[in-house]
Amino acid sequence: MKDLRQADNPSVKPSAHPTVKTPLTGILIANLGTPEGTDYWSMRRYLNEFLSDRRVIDLPRWKWQPILQGIILTKRPFSSGANYKTIWNEEKGESPLMTITRDQTAALREKAQAEWGDRVMVDFCMRYGKPSTSEVLDRMVKAGCRRIVFLPLYPQYAGATSATANDQLFRALMEQTWQPAVRTAEPYFDRPDYIDALAASVERKLEGKVPAKLVASYHGMPQRYLMQGDPYHCQCQKTSRLLRERLGWPEGVIDTTFQSVFGREEWLKPYTVDHVADLARQGHTDIAVISPAFAADCIETLEEINGEIRESFEHAGGETFTYIPCLNDDPAHIDVMMNVIRDNLGGWV
């Protein structure tokens, strides 16, 4: 028993014992990721990591990698880089997703330190690109984090988003000699505070009016994933329904659609780009679009929705297209994140 007591008591450690940090609790938020620049090689590195993820493209490697390396990564970095250039934060030399995620982290850090002081450490990582999950986890462990709450910034769960973020965390844990205890947060798509924050953003942007159509555009995924048991489609539908009920709007005002289709197989429908054109042809020339699946504005919202999807609507005769920004670092959104974190910190601080 004496030896055990000595091992647990910093004051009686052997002189050659490695330094033991004061135990901290870590809060680590994770987003999708971003290229480091808009040039060809930055885009190629990012797209290669993203499109090589088996959670994103689940084709056998022998079939997919020759297509990816020989065809897609030869051409797509040019077009993707051009798209990123239209939204790039030139002042900070980074994408809006990076800027917003950093701002979210700063806001969470301020609130967490006000509530728990120096007992907590708040940081962020990206599933693809930098800062990587592995490097940030390693930094937190070296700082003394013995417990970590991991919050993927995806309101709805999907294998290609929440699950792959968790996968990367677990892979990073395998590199640690002394692994911290970890809690992964559940999706928050139906939390009342999240729905309230969404509704407030709609009311603020539309100034209280009820539109003929509000299109809730979610990131798409292959229809096959739904049939394999992925709950994403159902959670998106529930988010739209709860948002409509919270706003007090009649049925039929909010349409749930899916964007960012990739490849030839059938994805979740209706496709946003086609649906907004159909609405215009049906006489709905004044619509609004919101993206409840994204915690931060990014290439899919700032360029795809305000570019390709807006153009599809206008070319079909649409007149007024109102994009409602993501919740980003809105105080109500930060409060939602803090509430999720508090729920997962139970008994730890």
Side-chain angles (χ1 to χ4, degrees), residues 245-260:
E245 292 174 353
R246 166 62 180 77
L247 288 166
W249 292 354
E251 292 186 20
V253 175
I254 298 181
D255 292 348
T256 297
T257 64
F258 300 90
Q259 64 182 88
S260 308

Side-chain angles (χ1 to χ4, degrees), residues 234-287:
C234 300
Q235 293 183 2
C236 293
Q237 295 286 353
K238 186 172 183 180
T239 298
S240 295
R241 175 177 62 80
L242 292 174
L243 175 59
R244 180 186 61 78
E245 292 174 353
R246 166 62 180 77
L247 288 166
W249 292 354
E251 292 186 20
V253 175
I254 298 181
D255 292 348
T256 297
T257 64
F258 300 90
Q259 64 182 88
S260 308
V261 176
F262 180 80
R264 296 182 178 180
E265 71 176 302
E266 183 175 336
W267 281 43
L268 297 176
K269 290 184 176 179
Y271 300 151
T272 306
V273 68
D274 297 330
H275 187 72
V276 296
D278 290 339
L279 289 177
R281 285 189 285 266
Q282 293 164 10
H284 298 296
T285 59
D286 184 348
I287 68 170

Side-chain angles (χ1 to χ4, degrees), residues 59-257:
L59 295 174
R61 287 185 59 84
W62 65 266
K63 179 184 293 186
W64 173 241
Q65 281 300 315
I67 298 172
L68 176 63
Q69 302 299 329
I71 301 174
I72 295 174
L73 292 181
T74 300
K75 298 180 179 180
R76 186 153 182 160
F78 290 110
S79 59
S80 295
N83 290 338
Y84 267 97
K85 282 181 182 178
T86 66
I87 66 165
W88 203 251
N89 185 338
E90 297 292 349
E91 180 182 349
K92 295 188 176 181
E94 61 190 22
S95 75
L97 178 67
M98 179 66 76
T99 303
I100 294 166
T101 305
R102 185 180 288 109
D103 290 344
Q104 291 171 330
T105 304
L108 287 172
R109 183 179 293 122
E110 182 178 354
K111 282 184 171 290
Q113 290 181 344
E115 187 163 341
W116 300 302
D118 293 335
R119 291 176 292 167
V120 299
M121 176 180 180
V122 182
D123 213 331
F124 77 94
C125 64
M126 298 295 186
R127 170 60 183 89
Y128 313 105
K130 296 181 179 181
S132 71
T133 306
S134 180
E135 67 177 276
V136 177
L137 177 71
D138 187 62
R139 181 164 66 240
M140 297 181 82
V141 170
K142 287 177 178 176
C145 291
R146 302 304 320 138
R147 297 165 170 171
I148 294 176
V149 168
F150 185 67
L151 172 57
L153 292 181
Y154 307 107
Q156 300 81 16
Y157 174 95
T161 54
S162 306
T164 192
N166 290 335
D167 289 346
Q168 198 72 349
L169 174 69
F170 301 146
R171 279 190 284 266
L173 285 168
M174 293 172 65
E175 301 171 4
Q176 295 298 322
T177 301
W178 186 1
Q179 292 179 332
V182 170
R183 292 174 178 171
T184 57
E186 290 184 314
Y188 53 94
F189 68 99
D190 58 353
R191 288 182 61 101
D193 52 0
Y194 167 66
I195 299 299
D196 285 346
L198 276 181
S201 74
V202 172
E203 292 171 333
R204 184 165 56 247
K205 184 68 176 182
L206 299 182
E207 298 180 339
K209 74 173 183 178
V210 180
K213 285 290 182 179
L214 172 64
V215 177
S217 181
Y218 298 83
H219 197 288
M221 72 176 186
Q223 174 75 17
R224 171 169 52 89
Y225 291 9
L226 168 63
M227 305 315 294
Q228 292 171 351
D230 193 299
Y232 178 70
H233 178 266
C234 300
Q235 293 183 2
C236 293
Q237 295 286 353
K238 186 172 183 180
T239 298
S240 295
R241 175 177 62 80
L242 292 174
L243 175 59
R244 180 186 61 78
E245 292 174 353
R246 166 62 180 77
L247 288 166
W249 292 354
E251 292 186 20
V253 175
I254 298 181
D255 292 348
T256 297
T257 64

